[in-house]
Amino acid sequence: MGQLALQRLPPLASVPKRPPSLPPPSLASPSLACATVSRRPLRNGLYIARAMSSHIVGYPRIGPKRELKFALESFWDGKTGVDELQNVAADLRKSIWKHMADAGIKYIPSNTFSYYDQMLDTTAMLGAVPSRYGWESGEIGFDVYFSMARGNASVPAMEMTKWFDTNYHYIVPELGPDVKFSYASHKAVAEFKEAKALGIDTVPVLIGPMTYLLLSKPAKGVENSFCLLSLIDKILPIYKEVLADLKSAGARWIQFDEPILVMDLDTSQLQAFSDAYAHMESSLAGLNVLIATYFADVPAEAYKTLTSLKCVTGFGFDLVRGLETLELIKVGFPRGKLLFAGVVDGRNIWANDLSASLKTLQALEDIVGKEKVVVSTSCSLLHTAVDLVNEIKLDKELKSWLAFAAQKVVEVNALAKSFSGVKDEALFASNSMRQASRRSSPRVTNVSVQQDVAAALKKSDHRRSTVVSVRLQAQQKKLNLPALPTTTIGSFPQTADIRRIRREFKAKKMSEIDYVQAMKEEFEKVVKLQEELGIDVLVHGEAERNDMVEYFGEQLSGFAFTSNGWVQSYGSRCVKPPIIYGDVTRPKAMTVFWSSMAQKMTKRPMKGMLTGPVTILNWSFVRNDQPRHETCFQIALAIKDEVQDLEQAGITVIQIDEAALREGLPLRRSEHEFYLDWAVHAFRITNFCVQDTTQIHTHMCYSNFNDIIHSIINMDADVITIENSRSDEKLLSVFREGVKYGAGIGPGVYDIHSPRIPSAEEIAERINKMLAVLESKVLWVNPDCGLKTRKYSEVKSALSNMVAAAKLIRAQLSKS
């Protein structure tokens, strides 16, 4: 892949004409698909539908049927070129903007589309490329951009972690005192011009400078001594250049996303925030400025700092998860400013209660005035599914309770119209009927389940009867594992053939006998490969599973599933979260048949693979009519029944993944303890009743674990495998600081989200770093995560090197 700035468009006959005002093709400037848009003309030759006071923070970019995913993966595989990828992206952007314009949205965002991640886009805009990628100057193209995101044959990718408390992952900027910032991606300006050429006036969206810096990490070598905010004066000149370009292009609004304001910021950080926007004040002259916050309440001091900014036209607040912010607004809101009221939930798929939201808006009207209230989403709609119209699996009743991104755009406009005095009485009546239908439906409530949970919680805190050190001795006596035992996290590559077999069976084009035989053959291949590689504790590869949450939800009551309810997790990786609409039970065993089949294929331990209750909860669209922890305890009891059945079937190692436990942690420290108490308790419920000789594993994905390490210990698992490699062994620092961890632990030794294959020597070096802070008797050797998204050629080489490294270190340990 060469720099996109060097690529040329194909002949005009095959690519829509690009307006001459746009720069040559690059990461920032896709080819345009211009079309006449039939909307009411406004001044300056722009077109837009009815301009009610409505706003969308952001919108999903993957496409209603994952068009971007498939275009990216085809491009990465070399099957298609730059032009094809750019054309798919341009078509998606056009359809998104047109949908919002046709719905009547006044403030339509641009620059919320991304080929991988919006934080990575900001890194590109600022030219903050780590030196290992070999970029020196010029417009950043796809080769550098995707190398930062995914790594390449010679260098690893940048770290990836969760975006606040969502299941979306962002690429973490690596910043140090020597970073030379430059205006290296003109994507924001190009997309504004692209929309303008389509006749749509948009609000360009930028990640705000404070959020960008405070979500970055210090570069290697200055981790403990460098203040990220010391770079504020170096990045603001780049922001000013972007603003100047946007104004020259005709932008009238700019949106800065500053969700960092919902976190616990100290006085110096709030002062830096205030100073940063004061510093940009002259560059912001001539623009209307919106600062958007989301995901939680804005603390009182941050609210005061934010609303004191003179250069800001409007302030956006999440009024779904930020009810305390609503109280702050009632106490005081700056005169003459616009309030972008996020009353439509951007993180869940339930239809908005229009009457309740209208009451909230009317209450705000009494405070700030009707003309100053703008109806908005609580956050970007990136975190919800794209369009309910594409759903064919959901029954009519359940579908009537839902709204995906496309429908939420309509809800925002309906509320804006009603708030302005043009109420659609039929729409509101229909909405009220649907809300009442959900509240009264017998499929939502199961009294016996609620009684079971209440009874279980009265009995104990669900701890195993013996301490972990005693259990590990009993387990080692039974399992007889070597030092530094090797394992994988669960899944093996999901080939096109595997997906075809599952698809045909689901469509009843394949008999159950043939399906079971096909799965058995796949299991045998995976087991044989692991035995040949010398892996100690095996997995069956999960060929029968579509997704680690969906697979279980399909077998639990109270869950529903979509056909196209995809949500972006990172890059091209999309997930299809289940919908938890009612009380949860397990009608029958879910995994015992497959785990028992796999265990019979080998004499080595075969892990029974389950997804934990907190992860099922956090990776689902959860009912909003009862507290989340109540739903979680229901799921925990269902998983407990499965654990007991696996143990009775002879499975001696059971992994209960809690990949998403950390991401559910509330953004405010004052709320951490309550969440961690019930989340950890739910995990313990799943396995408190097993024998000492049954080894319970858990796995956690990318995140910052150091601040919850004591809660992780309190989970009382026998072995935990955890992300480590992509974060520069950040996890190990907690053990250097004196935390004692007596259970087994497997910090990942290589990054499975990159196609790069680490050498045995590189992995051995990582193991030695772990042994500097962990005892060899508790250390496990494993990849960072499951291997589902990788190719077998990559998996074989990487695991072979992993096992070779483990054997090398074992030999060194035996000599010493």
Side-chain angles (χ1 to χ4, degrees), residues 1 76 132-134 142-144 146-158 751 753-759 762 790 794 797 801:
M1 277 180 269
W76 293 336
R132 65 180 178 274
Y133 299 107
F142 277 167
D143 54 348
V144 172
F146 287 132
S147 290
M148 289 192 287
R150 307 175 70 236
N152 58 41
S154 58
V155 293
M158 295 168 69
D751 176 22
H753 294 89
S754 169
R756 180 175 173 272
I757 299 168
S759 66
E762 180 182 333
R790 300 268 53 91
E794 299 164 347
S797 298
N801 291 346

Side-chain angles (χ1 to χ4, degrees), residues 78-97:
K79 297 175 182 177
T80 53
V82 169
D83 295 336
E84 291 90 340
L85 176 59
Q86 288 184 323
N87 283 339
V88 169
D91 287 344
L92 286 171
R93 286 191 296 272
K94 175 184 174 182
S95 67
I96 291 166
W97 291 327

Side-chain angles (χ1 to χ4, degrees), residues 393-411:
K393 290 174 63 174
L394 298 173
D395 63 77
K396 185 177 179 181
E397 180 186 44
L398 183 56
K399 198 170 179 179
S400 74
W401 301 343
L402 308 178
F404 291 179
Q407 289 69 46
K408 289 177 184 292
V409 168
V410 176
E411 289 179 337

Side-chain angles (χ1 to χ4, degrees), residues 590-608:
M590 302 179 285
T591 66
V592 176
F593 173 77
W594 300 112
S595 291
S596 298
M597 175 192 291
Q599 182 63 82
K600 291 173 183 174
M601 297 174 184
T602 182
K603 293 182 179 179
R604 302 185 190 193
M606 174 66 64
K607 286 198 280 192

Side-chain angles (χ1 to χ4, degrees), residues 71 134 185 292 295 406 414 585 732 760:
S185 171
F295 296 149
T585 59
L732 301 183

